[in-house]
Amino acid sequence: MGFRKKNKSPPVLSHEFVIQNHADMVSCLAMIILLGLMFEVTAKFAIMFITVQYNVTQVLDEKSEPVNLYQYGPKDVATVFFYLLIAVILHALIQEYILDKMNRRLHLSKTKHSKFNESGQLAAFYLFSFIWGCSILTAEDFATNPTFLWEGYPHTHMVFQVKFFYICQIAYWLHALPELYFQKVRKEDIPRQLYYICLYVVHITGAYVLNLHRLGLVLLVPHYLVELLFHASRLFYFSDENKQKGFTLWALLFVIARLLTLTLSVLTFGFGLPRTENQGFSLAEGNFNVLTVRMTCLAAICLTQAWMMWKFINFQLKKWREHSQNQASKKKTVSPKSKPHKREPTRGGAANGVVKSEDKTSPRARKAKAS
C-alpha cells in the first residue's frame, strides 16, 4: 500500500528511495511475519513475534478459576521488534492522512513544520497511552492502596494488559530512533530528541526488567498527561499564536508531576522496598531488592527530574525575556506627546499673532518716501 504520493522515482535503494518508501517496505516485512502463521513449519517462529510470551497459569484460591499471568524473557525482543514495525506503519499513516493535510492548510515555516509534526505524533501517542494506563490503574485500585508499589516484591508476574503495555511502550520509543532518519529531522533538533528518546527507553526498560512495572506505570501516567497537554498546546499555538493559555496550565502541572514523581520514588526505594521480606539479589527469582540497585534507581530518577526542571526553568526564563523585549519594543514604538510647534508666518506678515512692521529699507518704502 502506498502512503505517500511520489512525483519522482529516485534510484532504487538510495537514501531518498528508502525515505519515501520506508512505510511500504516495513509493511511488507510485517506481512511476511503474519504469513508465517499460515504454515506449520514457520508458525512456531512467527507466533513468537506476534503474541505475548512466557504465560504462566496460576491458581489464586481453591474456588477461583486459574488466572493467566506473564513473565518477561529473551523472546520479548522478537515481540518488541514486530510492534516496532507496527509503530512505524502507524507513524506513516498519521503523518500522511492527518498531519500533512493540516500542514498544507496552515502554511507553516520549515522550523514550525518540523515541530508541528513532532507534537502531532507525540500528542496522539500520549493520549492513547494515558487512556490505556488509566484503565490499568483503575483495575489495580492504586488510589485506595498505594502500598501495592512495593508489597509482594519481586513482582515477577504481570497480567496481560500490563505486559502488553510495556511491550508497546518500548517498541514505540525504539521506533522513534529510525524515524529521525525517515522524517529527515533537522540536525539541530536531533540531539534534543535523542536525549528524551534514550531516557524513555532506559527508564521504561529498567522498570520492566527490574520488576518495577507497578511503579513505572504509576509514574508514566501523570507524566504522559503533562506531556499531552504541552504538545496539544503547541499544536493550538501553531494554528493561532494567540492561543497560549494551555502553556500556563502545563507549567503548573509540570511542577506537580515532578514533585509527585520524586515523592513516590523516595517512598518506594527509601521506605517501602527496604522493609519488605524478600531482601537480596537473585536473577533466577527476579529479585533486585538490594541497596545498590535501589540507590541507583533512585539516583537515576532524581537526576532525570532535576534535568527536566532545569530545562523547564530555562524555557520559562527564555519566554519571560522574549515577553519583556516585546513589551519594551512596543513602548518605544508609541510616540511621546507632541510639543506645540511654532506657527509659520502668515501672508500678512503675522507670525505667532504679532504683526511685524514693514522693513524701512525695502524698495517699496524708499519709493513711498520719495513720493
Side-chain angles (χ1 to χ4, degrees):
M1 86 181 102
F3 293 112
R4 296 180 179 274
K5 296 179 180 179
K6 310 170 187 64
N7 298 324
K8 298 180 180 180
S9 298
V12 179
L13 298 182
S14 63
H15 289 288
E16 193 64 28
F17 178 85
V18 173
I19 291 172
Q20 287 187 4
N21 300 277
H22 74 275
D24 298 333
M25 297 165 67
V26 170
S27 300
C28 292
L29 182 57
M31 288 298 296
I32 291 173
I33 296 174
L34 290 173
L35 288 174
L37 297 173
M38 300 177 62
F39 306 98
E40 186 177 357
V41 178
T42 58
K44 59 181 179 180
F45 297 103
I47 201 170
M48 182 175 60
F49 287 87
I50 300 169
T51 62
V52 179
Q53 303 294 308
Y54 301 104
N55 60 315
V56 178
T57 303
Q58 191 176 33
V59 180
L60 301 178
D61 298 323
E62 295 181 357
K63 298 181 179 179
S64 61
E65 297 181 357
V67 179
N68 288 327
L69 301 176
Y70 294 85
Q71 297 175 324
Y72 70 83
K75 292 181 181 180
D76 289 341
V77 176
T79 311
V80 168
F81 175 75
F82 177 76
Y83 288 99
L84 183 151
L85 301 179
I86 301 301
V88 172
I89 297 172
L90 293 176
H91 189 115
L93 288 172
I94 294 173
Q95 185 67 42
E96 175 68 19
Y97 293 105
I98 299 177
L99 297 180
D100 285 350
K101 292 183 178 179
M102 296 176 67
N103 277 317
R104 284 192 289 269
R105 293 181 180 179
L106 296 175
H107 304 288
L108 301 174
S109 61
K110 290 184 178 180
T111 303
K112 290 184 177 181
H113 179 84
S114 176
K115 292 181 178 180
F116 184 88
N117 290 336
E118 178 189 3
S119 293
Q121 295 286 347
L122 290 176
F125 169 74
Y126 287 138
L127 177 61
F128 175 75
S129 298
F130 174 72
I131 296 174
W132 192 3
C134 285
S135 65
I136 297 173
L137 289 180
T138 303
E140 294 286 348
D141 294 330
F142 165 71
T144 58
N145 184 26
T147 57
F148 96 110
L149 291 175
W150 58 81
E151 282 184 350
Y153 183 86
H155 308 134
T156 55
H157 295 88
M158 299 171 279
V159 296
F160 173 79
Q161 289 292 336
V162 173
K163 176 158 185 175
F164 193 48
F165 177 84
Y166 272 91
I167 292 291
C168 293
Q169 292 294 313
I170 297 172
Y172 180 85
W173 291 113
L174 286 177
H175 113 280
L177 294 173
E179 286 293 344
L180 297 176
Y181 170 72
F182 293 146
Q183 298 298 322
K184 294 183 179 180
V185 177
R186 299 185 308 160
K187 292 182 179 180
E188 53 268 29
D189 290 338
I190 289 178
R192 176 183 59 83
Q193 295 191 29
L194 273 177
Y195 286 150
Y196 71 74
I197 291 171
C198 292
L199 285 174
Y200 276 117
V201 172
V202 170
H203 283 73
I204 295 175
T205 306
Y208 184 68
V209 172
L210 297 177
N211 291 315
L212 296 169
H213 52 82
R214 294 183 182 180
L215 177 64
L217 185 61
V218 171
L219 297 182
L220 276 177
V221 169
H223 174 74
Y224 280 171
L225 173 62
V226 175
E227 293 299 308
L228 169 63
L229 181 60
F230 172 76
H231 289 285
S233 300
R234 194 156 73 161
L235 291 175
F236 284 115
Y237 172 77
F238 288 144
S239 62
D240 185 359
E241 293 186 357
N242 295 322
K243 297 179 180 179
Q244 301 187 27
K245 295 182 179 179
F247 291 110
T248 304
L249 179 59
W250 163 75
L252 177 62
L253 293 180
F254 183 90
V255 177
I256 295 175
R258 303 288 72 79
L259 294 175
L260 178 64
T261 300
L262 290 174
T263 302
L264 292 177
S265 300
V266 172
L267 187 65
T268 302
F269 293 110
F271 175 78
L273 290 177
R275 300 191 180 188
T276 57
E277 297 179 357
N278 295 327
Q279 300 286 329
F281 182 84
S282 176
L283 289 174
E285 297 178 0
N287 190 2
F288 303 93
N289 192 8
V290 291
L291 180 62
T292 304
V293 176
R294 291 198 302 267
M295 291 299 101
T296 301
C297 293
L298 183 59
I301 294 175
C302 291
L303 289 175
T304 302
Q305 301 307 306
W307 177 76
M308 293 176 67
M309 280 301 300
W310 176 255
K311 299 288 288 184
F312 172 78
I313 293 171
N314 287 334
F315 175 78
Q316 294 298 330
L317 289 175
K318 181 181 177 181
K319 290 296 181 183
W320 179 76
R321 292 193 194 100
E322 292 177 354
H323 179 71
S324 300
Q325 291 176 358
N326 291 334
Q327 292 297 325
S329 62
K330 288 181 180 179
K331 289 182 180 179
K332 290 181 179 179
T333 54
V334 176
S335 60
K337 293 183 178 179
S338 58
K339 296 180 180 180
H341 297 283
K342 293 182 179 180
R343 295 174 60 187
E344 295 182 357
T346 59
R347 289 187 178 180
N352 295 330
V354 179
V355 179
K356 293 184 178 180
S357 60
E358 293 183 352
D359 187 3
K360 300 297 182 179
T361 59
S362 63
R364 182 180 297 177
R366 288 196 302 268
K367 185 178 180 181
K369 186 177 180 179
S371 61

